[in-house]
Amino acid sequence: MQPQRHSQRLSNSNKNKRHRIIESNLESQPSGSNIQQKRMTKSSSSVLKMKEQTITPINKISPMIDNMAIKGRLTSVWHSHKLNEQHDPYSLDCVFQDEESNRIQIFVKKELMFKFEPLLQEGQCYIISNFGVAENGGRLPLLPNRWKISLYKGSEIKRIEQIDENFIGFVNEPFTRILDPNNQYHEHDSVDVVGTVVAIGNIIPVNGYGCSKIRRTVVIEDAESLRLECTFWDNWALMWNEYSDKLDEVGHLDILLILGKVKYWNNKPAIHNALFGTRIYINKDITPLKSFRKSYEAQNGNNASDFRIEIHNQENHVVTPAEFMQGSVKRMVGMIRNIEPETHCVVYATIHSIQYENGWAYTGCKACNTKVTAIASKGASSSKNQKQLWHCKKHGETYAVVSRFKIIVRIFDETGTAQVVIFDNNVYKMTKLSAWEIMEKQGMDADRYFPDDLNQIIGKQYLFKVKYSEFNHNNNSHVYRAEKVTEDVETINYFKNGFFDDETGDEEYSSESKEVNEDDEDYFSSTSIEENEDEEDDFTITPTQENENTEDDITSCDKPSNDGHADGSDKQTEPIFIDLSDYETEDENEACNTLKKVVTVKLEKDP
């Protein structure tokens, strides 16, 4: 019996030992609550660490500062993408605004969008840290900041309570400031405006920006009855269809536009929507709109029942005969070179031919219309779909280019001939076609063909306002720039009155001013040709091309001949008559590929 009791004591002893081992193991392993508690402790320490970080004001952000943290609200979130490729965005972008209403752009690379997109929500407030600072470059920066924020894989984002009641981040820009002629906005500036719609324009097709676009003008009014035009493009223009179709029914339309761009046409400002980032609120129940409606009714009364939105008609400035002739003298073609250098004159002449070998279009900078040169892609791995980069003499590297007309024509009257270079705006008025429309139809390489559409101007008579420059005088060059061209009957009669009936046929137009009106919509300086002070007036060269003129730069018809007559100089013993019906026109295709058309000139003696 004793051995049996001994064995029982051993077995009980072993059981007790095993229980103690199990209990010991359980005590050594953390329980679920312990794990959760540790995680909470770690999270709270992380939050405490974030709170201890010094918040950097947005206007103080610099790549030279380490361990920065920013605090504010996301006022706008969008996906950036190429044209018509909304399904394939290349980045996630945001506008972040702090308590001082300073703004900065945040971007997230495509490969990190999946991580940050669920966290970044428009209208929410955050503390963001552990980010990078990059240069705010690109084609069309939304904000004027020098820097923007780049989120990394390890960037920390913490949502916080609302920092104030300005949930949409509205910062009102008064109409008085926008309309102030002494206050010019930069193209990178963005503004917020609020007003009530008083007129809606029709959709207008626009060509010549590398693709076909549409725009619509909407006029808004503030509480002080100041009016401001807003120009909306593409889908933003179509958005107004639901209101323009029932103007008698919609009543008041109060709008609030955030992150609009101020652009100028003839020194008149207008608010445009940006490509990305702009936000619009129409008749929404939000504080800024309610405050505006209250102040507007206090100034103008509550006339909702009588109020009607107008149809906005785009005003096209019509140049009067007096405006066309301003600052110029009347001349016959053969007498242009008799006037003083740097003088403008108006001639009435017929277009005899177009100089095909000088081309018909060039690629210009969208900002200043100067000729640009293509920059070769760097690296063999560049994509075929990569957008072409160009170099502008005035603006450096740019993607924003546009096709412009530039043709040289030969004009004549009964006193002689001359060559005139005509640029984009005037060619459009003569043909009702843009360079882009022609290229879209016939091909983008303008150097490979000459469009038949331009031949419609041959044989027609126009008034040409040209400039006899110092370059023309000093180089005996007789290629003149046409600043204005018109075939308006009233203006032509105004020119002829008291001029063609005069015995001398060379009456000077009485005008005290020698300064051309540059405020006209049709004045050619809007294409910025003569804004390039270092550019000489050899118009056989595309505008603002680097001027390395040699004798070869002047076309053969401009070189002075030995006797001084071939270029139409002053030695004329008999009037020259050119009869268009007496010469055969060369085959157009042959003319495009060879030299200038040969002109048969008949000399007729006076009876």
Side-chain angles (χ1 to χ4, degrees):
M1 295 297 296
Q2 289 181 354
Q4 187 176 2
R5 290 194 191 99
H6 180 69
S7 63
Q8 286 178 351
R9 284 196 299 270
L10 286 174
S11 63
N12 291 335
S13 172
N14 291 336
K15 287 181 180 179
N16 293 334
K17 187 181 292 185
R18 284 198 301 270
H19 283 301
R20 286 195 297 271
I21 292 173
I22 292 173
E23 290 174 359
S24 175
N25 289 336
L26 288 174
E27 290 176 359
S28 64
Q29 293 180 0
S31 64
S33 59
N34 290 336
I35 294 174
Q36 186 175 1
Q37 185 176 1
K38 286 186 177 181
R39 287 177 179 173
M40 291 177 65
T41 304
K42 183 178 179 181
S43 176
S44 60
S45 64
S46 176
V47 172
L48 184 61
K49 180 181 177 182
M50 239 179 178
K51 287 182 179 179
E52 292 174 351
Q53 285 181 313
T54 302
I55 301 299
T56 304
I58 285 178
N59 58 354
K60 301 294 184 182
I61 287 179
S62 168
M64 305 302 293
I65 303 176
D66 295 327
N67 301 322
M68 290 182 292
I70 56 175
K71 177 182 177 182
R73 175 185 288 110
L74 290 180
T75 60
S76 184
V77 181
W78 70 92
H79 291 95
S80 296
H81 57 81
K82 295 181 180 179
L83 183 66
N84 298 325
E85 294 185 11
Q86 296 89 335
H87 62 284
D88 187 24
Y90 53 79
S91 68
L92 176 68
D93 294 84
C94 319
V95 171
F96 195 78
Q97 181 172 313
D98 65 12
E99 295 173 286
E100 303 298 325
S101 298
N102 298 311
R103 292 167 172 169
I104 195 167
Q105 187 167 336
I106 299 175
F107 81 98
V108 181
K109 296 179 180 178
K110 185 175 183 178
E111 56 268 25
L112 295 177
M113 284 169 49
F114 76 96
K115 176 179 180 180
F116 292 106
E117 187 171 1
L119 302 175
L120 301 175
Q121 297 181 14
E122 200 169 288
Q124 297 298 325
C125 296
Y126 300 89
I127 293 178
I128 303 176
S129 61
N130 195 24
F131 52 80
V133 178
E135 185 177 8
N136 186 29
R139 292 176 55 194
L140 299 170
L142 181 62
L143 300 174
N145 307 61
R146 183 180 179 183
W147 312 110
K148 61 182 177 181
I149 289 175
S150 173
L151 296 186
Y152 297 147
K153 187 176 181 180
S155 297
E156 297 180 4
I157 298 176
K158 177 180 180 294
R159 183 182 295 181
I160 60 175
E161 297 293 329
Q162 294 290 339
I163 57 176
D164 54 38
E165 296 183 355
N166 187 11
F167 302 116
I168 59 175
F170 177 67
V171 182
N172 186 42
E173 190 78 356
F175 284 18
T176 52
R177 178 174 169 82
I178 297 174
L179 297 171
D180 184 0
N182 298 319
N183 179 45
Q184 292 287 314
Y185 290 82
H186 190 272
E187 61 180 354
H188 295 168
D189 291 336
S190 296
V191 298
D192 303 348
V193 294
V194 60
T196 189
V197 176
V198 293
I200 300 177
N202 295 321
I203 286 179
I204 300 175
V206 179
N207 295 309
Y209 291 87
C211 60
S212 297
K213 301 173 74 68
I214 59 173
R215 63 178 172 85
R216 187 199 296 267
T217 299
V218 175
V219 182
I220 61 176
E221 185 178 75
D222 67 0
E224 283 72 37
S225 300
L226 294 175
R227 294 193 173 190
L228 180 66
E229 290 187 1
C230 300
T231 301
F232 297 103
W233 295 85
D234 299 330
N235 290 333
W236 285 72
L238 296 174
M239 172 186 67
W240 294 93
N241 285 347
E242 62 176 298
Y243 306 110
S244 62
D245 293 340
K246 48 182 180 180
L247 293 179
D248 294 334
E249 305 174 12
V250 294
H252 286 289
L253 287 179
D254 296 337
I255 73 167
L256 187 148
L257 195 69
I258 295 179
L259 297 171
K261 310 296 285 187
V262 182
K263 299 187 179 182
Y264 294 88
W265 174 254
N266 286 337
N267 295 321
K268 183 179 180 181
I271 308 298
H272 293 234
N273 65 280
L275 184 61
F276 302 110
T278 302
R279 292 290 180 266
I280 188 169
Y281 301 87
I282 303 177
N283 283 353
K284 296 293 184 182
D285 186 21
I286 53 179
T287 302
L289 281 179
K290 290 190 291 185
S291 299
F292 167 77
R293 172 48 49 187
K294 184 178 180 179
S295 61
Y296 185 84
E297 290 179 355
Q299 292 287 338
N300 302 278
N302 185 5
N303 58 343
S305 58
D306 301 328
F307 181 79
R308 294 290 182 274
I309 295 176
E310 306 169 357
I311 298 176
H312 176 68
N313 294 318
Q314 194 73 27
E315 295 182 4
N316 293 321
H317 177 66
V318 178
V319 178
T320 65
E323 288 175 331
F324 189 93
M325 295 295 300
Q326 182 180 1
S328 63
V329 295
K330 298 178 182 179
R331 286 292 184 269
M332 305 298 287
V333 172
M335 306 300 175
I336 295 176
R337 69 222 51 190
N338 290 341
I339 62 179
E340 292 295 321
E342 300 300 314
T343 301
H344 296 84
C345 68
V346 177
V347 298
Y348 183 54
T350 303
I351 294 180
H352 177 273
S353 59
I354 302 174
Q355 306 295 1
Y356 295 110
E357 74 277 12
N358 292 111
W360 64 278
Y362 70 97
T363 302
C365 173
K366 190 176 177 181
C368 63
N369 290 319
T370 62
K371 184 180 180 182
V372 295
T373 55
I375 298 176
S377 300
K378 299 177 181 179
S381 60
S382 58
S383 171
K384 293 182 179 179
N385 297 325
Q386 184 178 359
K387 194 171 182 66
Q388 177 64 56
L389 183 63
W390 304 82
H391 179 266
C392 171
K393 180 180 177 181
K394 296 179 67 176
H395 295 91
E397 294 185 355
T398 180
Y399 290 99
V401 297
V402 66
S403 298
R404 297 293 192 192
F405 281 121
K406 178 209 143 185
I407 61 174
I408 298 179
V409 301
R410 183 171 288 277
I411 64 173
F412 72 92
D413 64 10
E414 58 265 33
T415 66
T417 66
Q419 286 181 290
V420 175
V421 61
I422 311 175
F423 288 98
D424 192 71
N425 189 43
N426 286 315
V427 178
Y428 176 82
K429 288 190 292 184
M430 298 164 75
T431 63
K432 305 305 179 186
L433 292 169
S434 68
W436 172 254
E437 286 178 288
I438 294 175
M439 294 173 69
E440 194 175 34
K441 181 173 61 176
Q442 300 190 32
M444 294 298 165
D445 191 352
D447 296 331
R448 298 177 64 90
Y449 64 92
F450 192 94
D452 294 336
D453 306 79
L454 299 182
N455 292 332
Q456 62 179 291
I457 66 175
I458 296 177
K460 290 186 176 181
Q461 291 181 302
Y462 298 91
L463 276 181
F464 298 90
K465 186 171 187 176
V466 301
K467 179 183 178 182
Y468 184 65
S469 66
E470 288 284 357
F471 179 86
N472 295 127
H473 180 74
N474 296 334
N475 294 275
N476 197 24
S477 171
H478 303 291
V479 182
Y480 311 109
R481 174 170 65 84
E483 294 181 349
K484 293 183 182 180
V485 180
T486 185
E487 56 181 343
D488 177 66
V489 175
E490 183 182 358
T491 307
I492 292 173
N493 290 335
Y494 188 91
F495 171 83
K496 290 180 177 180
N497 184 30
F499 179 59
F500 283 165
D501 296 336
D502 192 274
E503 290 183 1
T504 63
D506 196 21
E507 179 188 25
E508 183 170 315
Y509 178 73
S510 58
S511 174
E512 297 179 1
S513 173
K514 287 292 181 183
E515 182 178 351
V516 178
N517 183 9
E518 298 184 2
D519 293 331
D520 291 346
E521 182 178 55
D522 295 322
Y523 178 56
F524 185 70
S525 67
S526 61
T527 59
S528 306
I529 296 302
E530 62 179 2
E531 291 179 1
N532 302 280
E533 299 176 355
D534 59 341
E535 186 65 27
E536 296 181 352
D537 296 333
D538 184 353
F539 292 109
T540 59
I541 296 178
T542 304
T544 71
Q545 182 179 336
E546 286 290 347
N547 204 6
E548 300 173 354
N549 293 344
T550 64
E551 186 180 9
D552 295 335
D553 287 332
I554 305 176
T555 56
S556 58
C557 60
D558 303 325
K559 297 178 184 178
S561 62
N562 294 332
D563 58 8
H565 291 261
D567 57 1
S569 58
D570 296 336
K571 292 185 179 181
Q572 288 186 334
T573 57
E574 298 174 321
I576 297 177
F577 295 90
I578 300 178
D579 189 350
L580 291 176
S581 62
D582 283 353
Y583 77 96
E584 294 182 0
T585 304
E586 296 180 6
D587 180 78
E588 295 295 334
N589 294 328
E590 182 180 350
C592 292
N593 299 323
T594 58
L595 298 175
K596 303 171 185 171
K597 291 186 176 181
V598 178
V599 180
T600 302
V601 179
K602 295 196 309 181
L603 299 179
E604 298 184 1
K605 295 182 178 180
D606 294 332

